[in-house]
Amino acid sequence: MFSRWWVFPTVLIMAAALAAALVFVFAAVIVYPALPSLGVLTDYQPKVPLRIYSSEGRLIGEFGEERRAVVKIDAVPKAMRDAILAAEDERFYQHGGVDYVGVMRAALSNFVSGGARQGASTITMQVARNFFLSKEKTLTRKFNEMLLAFKIEHSLTKDQILELYVNQIYLGQRAYGFAAAAQIYFGKTLDQLSVAETAMLAGLPKAPSSFNPVVNPKRARLRQQYVLRRMRELDFISDEQWQAADKQPLAVKRNVDDFVVRADHFAEMVRQVLYERYQEDAYTRGFRVYTTLSTAHQEAAYAAVRKGVIEYDRRHGYRGAQSYVELGPQPTDEDFEDALQDETESDDIYPALVLEVSSRAVKIYRKGGEMLEIGADGLKFAQRMLGDKAPANQRLRRGAVIRIQKNEKGQWQIAQLPQVEAALVSVDPQDGAIRALVGGFDFGRNKYNHITQALRQPGSSFKPFIYSAALEKGFTPATIINDAPLMFDASQTGSEPWEPKNFDGKFEGPMRLRTALVKSRNVVSVRILQAITPQYAQDYITRFGFDAKYHPPYLTMALGAGNVTPLQMVGGYAIFANGGFRVNPYFIVRIEDAKGAVMAQARPERAGEGAERAIDARNAFIMTNIMQDVVKMGTAARANQLGRTDLGGKTGTTNEFIDAWFCGFGTGLVAVAWIGFDNPHTLGHNETGAQAALPMWIGYMGKVLKDVEEQPRSAPEGVVQARINPETGLRDPEGRATDYFYQEFLPAEHDSGGAPLQAPGAPGGARPAEEVKSQLF
């Protein structure tokens, strides 16, 4: 009787199971042939981002939706593989693609809960889903996933499947694959990870957002502890390793774009070139671009620009609080973070919230969770904004959003984000290779590249190009020009009557051309341009790469009233520095595909080796020699602090102190520094090129030329040196000065009457250039 009772249910269950199996087999027979081809797996072509490298091969930029670093399974350390298996699929090397025990457990759970709430995905099934299927939790998708898993297991080895998983799985922070995640979260390669770090990464696939150690450190820690326990239970690690890993503090990177140097404007230039050539493929095909940028030079340039801008900003005083927020009677850290959520860091300048204010100290909350108190020393910059006498809309009070920064001693102080912009670029004058490029104070705040995009007036930094033109018209460094008042009517200027003035408002009378450039005398420069004619100068400057349309042929050209970019200026000064050859600034050395094949290679023309000659070698030598005097005894004498004799250049300041420049060179390097406002207005009284721009140039050159041996410049053939009388500009064996001359323009001997060798610009007005040339013979 009893035996008869259980026979029927047993038969019923077996029949149901058989029916289910038949249905499963029938469905499989129908669906299996329609499954997608595995070609995408057997010929794996992952989306690898565009990566940009410095000249030393160090990563300086990356572009692409997916951050990925593809690795072979042999390069994945055992600890990493064990952690993955412990977290995701401990029986991976035993099952055939589907873990039936896990499937039954998930099915039972889903039946009880009334829906598809739990899965039992193996690593193989996850590979199938990641490559071919959606992530929706439906029975149809799960069925197809299982069939694909069988197909994958039949076509690939276990190691091949695991390799696909290791490289394809999404792990948060735009990281795809464990190699990329190791770099993004810890700044390490896979073989540098500790057991604790591998467990943290292995816990991410289940829920990359929920277990993200940057966004949710507490939940990430709980997940890591689970993975470590599973690794111990499976004997992947010992008790000692487990305990050590559980106690190890992890240093998780919060900045996912932490490259070796800050070169954002430069990297963006590279990205634009690659996109123009390859369109969207630029971001997915794994191109590697090797550039001319030197990390040491870029680091020095970035630091110099930041320091120069901040020093300028502090000279002009504290502007007060950025904004204000209302704080309740008992605010929490969460309230503080909410108040600062839209405020971003600018490198070492951090957003903060004022909590309490007294005359001697300010208590603040720094974004990120740190409470600080800034004392009297740190408040000096903002002292005038403390107390009731300060303007209400600028005053430091409870709820004020401010900026803070550490000083050179490591102490916190009140700071502010500068409103002014600045830029610096340097090139190798022999081939035009860009060594450093800082396009602005902070790329995150202003992506406008002032090196390539900003057309600004160069002021007196443009004078060397006018003086170079004058040398070709018969002028010499010893030519005497009168520094005396001039007046021009509207027909001569192209606009309104004009009376050029010197910076100091004074006139010094007759002086040599060399002295005029060293002292940057405006009136003398105008007289020189008047003599050679603006039309001639407009044509001549195109030899240096300038566009004539931005330099109208008027006498104001002598004072730099045209428009240039810093990149044009550095290219122009490179011609002086390399002996007269036109080299085009460039920044990409070669482009490689994901397999290392070279797709494009730069072939720059070098000075003396294929580059076009722009100006006479004698001209270049004499001009660089004069500009070295600008540093030794002229407007750029501040650069003497570097203790070098090979430096030369020219300061530039425009009307109303709107733009400040310094353009110059040293052995093997040319650099240009600029500072000004995007919405042009005055930098402030006496903010000249020497005051505002030259310090950035000095800060950069002082670092990069520190161990570079000076290379003296020798006079080229056709240049002669002669002793002269500095008052007359004529040759004099007993003269107190020496100078360099074109052989054919050597001045006459000093006559008994001592008459000076007058050039255009004498009080009677300018004479045509042809007369000047004949007078100099």
Side-chain angles (χ1 to χ4, degrees):
M1 188 75 179
F2 177 74
S3 60
R4 294 178 183 177
W5 177 86
W6 59 264
V7 169
F8 181 74
T10 301
V11 171
L12 185 62
I13 292 172
M14 292 179 64
L18 179 61
L22 290 173
V23 169
F24 180 87
V25 171
F26 178 76
V29 169
I30 297 298
V31 174
Y32 194 87
L35 292 175
S37 167
L38 298 187
V40 69
L41 301 185
T42 55
D43 185 24
Y44 181 48
Q45 298 290 334
K47 292 182 178 180
V48 181
L50 165 66
R51 291 194 174 93
I52 302 167
Y53 297 89
S54 70
S55 60
E56 304 91 349
R58 304 181 71 182
L59 186 66
I60 60 174
E62 186 174 83
F63 296 93
E65 291 183 7
E66 300 181 5
R67 305 186 70 181
R68 192 193 307 274
V70 179
V71 293
K72 295 293 185 181
I73 192 63
D74 293 341
V76 180
K78 184 177 184 300
M80 186 75 255
R81 283 179 281 168
D82 288 344
I84 293 170
L85 297 181
E88 294 295 320
D89 189 355
E90 64 188 75
R91 298 184 59 253
F92 172 70
Y93 281 97
Q94 283 76 50
H95 63 64
V98 176
D99 186 349
Y100 297 104
V101 175
V103 170
M104 293 301 295
R105 182 178 62 249
L108 180 61
S109 174
N110 293 336
F111 177 78
V112 172
S113 62
R117 297 178 178 273
Q118 188 180 112
S121 293
T122 63
I123 284 176
T124 312
M125 292 166 72
Q126 290 185 58
V127 168
R129 180 168 66 246
N130 274 297
F131 279 93
F132 302 109
L133 304 172
S134 69
K135 294 184 179 181
E136 60 179 343
K137 292 184 177 181
T138 63
L139 292 175
T140 300
R141 195 271 295 164
K142 200 69 178 178
F143 180 70
N144 288 340
E145 187 178 290
M146 293 170 62
L147 292 182
L148 271 171
F150 291 137
K151 188 173 182 179
I152 292 170
E153 291 272 353
H154 181 72
S155 303
L156 302 176
T157 67
K158 287 288 188 179
D159 280 352
Q160 287 175 321
I161 297 168
L162 187 58
E163 183 177 296
L164 290 168
Y165 180 82
V166 164
N167 286 305
Q168 183 70 16
I169 195 71
Y170 178 62
L171 300 171
Q173 302 291 99
R174 292 195 298 120
Y176 285 79
F178 286 91
Q183 280 290 342
I184 290 168
Y185 289 108
F186 299 113
K188 297 180 178 181
T189 57
L190 286 176
D191 60 350
Q192 295 172 328
L193 295 175
S194 66
V195 172
E197 290 165 339
T198 61
M200 179 68 78
L201 296 184
L204 289 170
K206 183 175 180 65
S209 297
S210 299
F211 299 134
N212 186 323
V214 175
V215 179
N216 294 305
K218 291 182 180 179
R219 295 192 68 181
R221 169 67 173 151
L222 292 174
R223 178 65 176 167
Q224 178 216 29
Q225 290 176 322
Y226 165 77
V227 176
L228 287 172
R229 285 197 305 272
R230 292 294 298 137
M231 292 179 74
R232 177 66 198 100
E233 290 168 2
L234 296 169
D235 286 329
F236 289 155
I237 56 176
S238 64
D239 281 331
E240 292 77 12
Q241 289 175 304
W242 176 30
Q243 293 169 7
D246 189 56
K247 294 176 182 177
Q248 180 187 336
L250 299 185
V252 177
K253 287 170 51 182
R254 302 191 69 85
N255 184 358
V256 297
D257 292 327
D258 188 15
F259 300 113
V260 64
V261 291
R262 292 181 179 270
D264 301 294
H265 288 95
F266 181 86
E268 173 61 16
M269 288 167 59
V270 176
R271 183 202 67 80
Q272 290 176 10
V273 170
L274 268 290
Y275 183 79
E276 287 175 6
R277 179 173 291 198
Y278 301 108
Q279 298 298 300
E280 292 299 325
D281 283 349
Y283 308 132
T284 61
R285 288 177 53 187
F287 294 130
R288 296 193 291 265
V289 184
Y290 293 88
T291 70
T292 61
L293 192 89
S294 160
T295 53
H297 282 241
Q298 182 66 18
E299 185 176 349
Y302 179 79
V305 168
R306 296 281 296 193
K307 185 173 186 288
V309 168
I310 290 171
E311 286 180 350
Y312 164 85
D313 192 63
R314 292 182 76 87
R315 285 199 298 272
H316 293 268
Y318 187 55
R319 295 183 294 275
Q322 286 183 204
S323 60
Y324 300 91
V325 296
E326 291 298 325
L327 296 176
Q330 292 183 320
T332 64
D333 286 5
E334 188 173 345
D335 294 326
F336 300 151
E337 285 295 321
D338 287 344
L340 296 172
Q341 64 178 341
D342 294 330
E343 304 294 337
T344 57
E345 298 175 3
S346 177
D347 196 357
D348 60 344
I349 302 177
Y350 302 94
L353 191 63
V354 175
L355 304 181
E356 295 179 17
V357 179
S358 71
S359 59
R360 305 190 59 163
V362 173
K363 184 178 179 181
I364 65 171
Y365 176 88
R366 174 190 159 191
K367 185 177 181 180
E370 187 176 3
M371 293 287 187
L372 301 168
E373 185 171 280
I374 298 180
D377 288 343
L379 292 176
K380 287 179 180 178
F381 179 51
Q383 193 66 45
R384 70 187 188 92
M385 292 301 173
L386 295 171
D388 295 337
K389 293 183 179 180
N393 62 345
Q394 297 172 295
R395 185 184 310 153
L396 290 187
R397 59 175 174 80
R398 176 179 164 84
V401 177
I402 63 170
R403 296 279 167 164
I404 59 173
Q405 182 185 34
K406 284 186 176 180
N407 61 21
E408 294 178 352
K409 297 180 181 178
Q411 300 169 329
W412 288 107
Q413 62 182 0
I414 300 292
Q416 64 187 359
L417 287 176
Q419 296 175 338
V420 74
E421 278 293 349
L424 189 150
V425 61
S426 68
V427 304
D428 181 337
Q430 295 304 309
D431 64 359
I434 294 177
R435 295 302 181 208
L437 187 148
V438 180
F441 180 77
D442 183 348
F443 182 80
R445 186 180 64 164
N446 187 350
K447 294 176 173 54
Y448 185 71
N449 191 334
H450 298 84
I451 295 297
T452 61
Q453 295 176 285
L455 278 167
R456 308 290 292 223
Q457 289 188 338
S460 294
S461 64
F462 200 73
K463 287 176 181 175
F465 306 109
I466 304 301
Y467 281 58
S468 172
L471 294 184
E472 293 304 306
K473 280 291 191 176
F475 281 78
T476 78
T479 301
I480 303 297
I481 306 104
N482 197 11
D483 183 17
L486 276 173
M487 174 65 80
F488 300 96
D489 60 32
S491 65
Q492 293 172 290
T493 64
S495 55
E496 9 179 276
W498 179 48
E499 185 178 0
K501 302 286 187 182
N502 291 314
F503 178 76
D504 59 6
K506 300 176 182 179
F507 300 95
E508 298 185 7
M511 64 175 58
R512 288 181 292 157
L513 178 146
R514 175 183 289 272
T515 305
L517 187 58
V518 168
K519 292 186 174 183
S520 198
R521 306 304 289 177
N522 291 340
V523 174
V524 172
S525 301
V526 172
R527 289 184 184 274
I528 290 173
L529 181 57
Q530 186 185 31
I532 66 174
T533 75
Q535 291 76 18
Y536 174 77
Q538 183 191 41
D539 179 66
Y540 184 84
I541 64 171
T542 61
R543 303 185 187 189
F544 294 91
F546 298 112
D547 190 334
K549 71 181 179 183
Y550 292 115
H551 302 271
Y554 299 117
L555 293 173
T556 50
M557 187 197 305
L559 308 185
N563 287 288
V564 299
T565 66
L567 189 64
Q568 290 173 341
M569 290 296 279
V570 81
Y573 272 76
I575 292 173
F576 291 131
N578 68 24
F581 294 95
R582 174 83 177 273
V583 291
N584 296 314
Y586 75 103
F587 50 95
I588 294 178
V589 176
R590 70 182 184 279
I591 302 171
E592 295 181 357
D593 66 14
K595 296 181 179 179
V598 176
M599 303 184 66
Q601 177 84 45
R603 304 193 185 281
E605 295 176 330
R606 294 180 58 84
E609 300 176 16
E612 175 190 2
R613 176 165 288 285
I615 62 174
D616 194 312
R618 300 173 299 172
N619 189 308
F621 173 79
I622 292 173
M623 287 305 304
T624 56
N625 184 263
I626 297 174
M627 284 189 279
Q628 285 175 334
D629 274 359
V630 174
V631 170
K632 291 175 185 175
M633 62 189 79
T635 57
R638 189 172 182 174
N640 282 317
Q641 65 184 265
L642 297 181
R644 299 180 69 96
T645 62
D646 61 338
L647 304 178
K650 186 69 187 72
T651 53
T653 312
T654 61
N655 286 343
E656 306 300 328
F657 304 98
I658 289 176
D659 294 275
W661 298 75
F662 186 75
C663 309
F665 48 81
T667 297
L669 195 65
V670 181
V672 168
W674 165 87
I675 186 169
F677 290 96
D678 281 347
N679 180 20
H681 63 273
T682 183
L683 290 164
H685 180 67
N686 211 35
E687 290 289 357
T688 62
Q691 170 76 357
L694 180 57
M696 294 187 290
W697 190 90
I698 292 172
Y700 167 67
M701 285 292 211
K703 290 181 181 178
V704 299
L705 293 183
K706 183 178 180 181
D707 298 319
V708 176
E709 186 177 347
E710 294 185 23
Q711 296 178 6
R713 299 171 187 268
S714 56
E717 185 178 351
V719 170
V720 294
Q721 189 175 27
R723 189 171 291 277
I724 61 169
N725 182 315
E727 281 74 39
T728 66
L730 299 177
R731 279 187 294 145
D732 185 346
E734 305 299 324
R736 292 181 290 106
T738 60
D739 220 323
Y740 293 98
F741 305 90
Y742 285 19
Q743 192 167 20
E744 63 270 29
F745 294 159
L746 192 65
E749 290 277 1
H750 188 75
D751 62 22
S752 57
L757 179 61
Q758 283 232 328
R767 294 189 296 279
E770 289 74 14
E771 292 184 32
V772 179
K773 187 169 183 179
S774 62
Q775 180 193 45
L776 295 178
F777 275 96

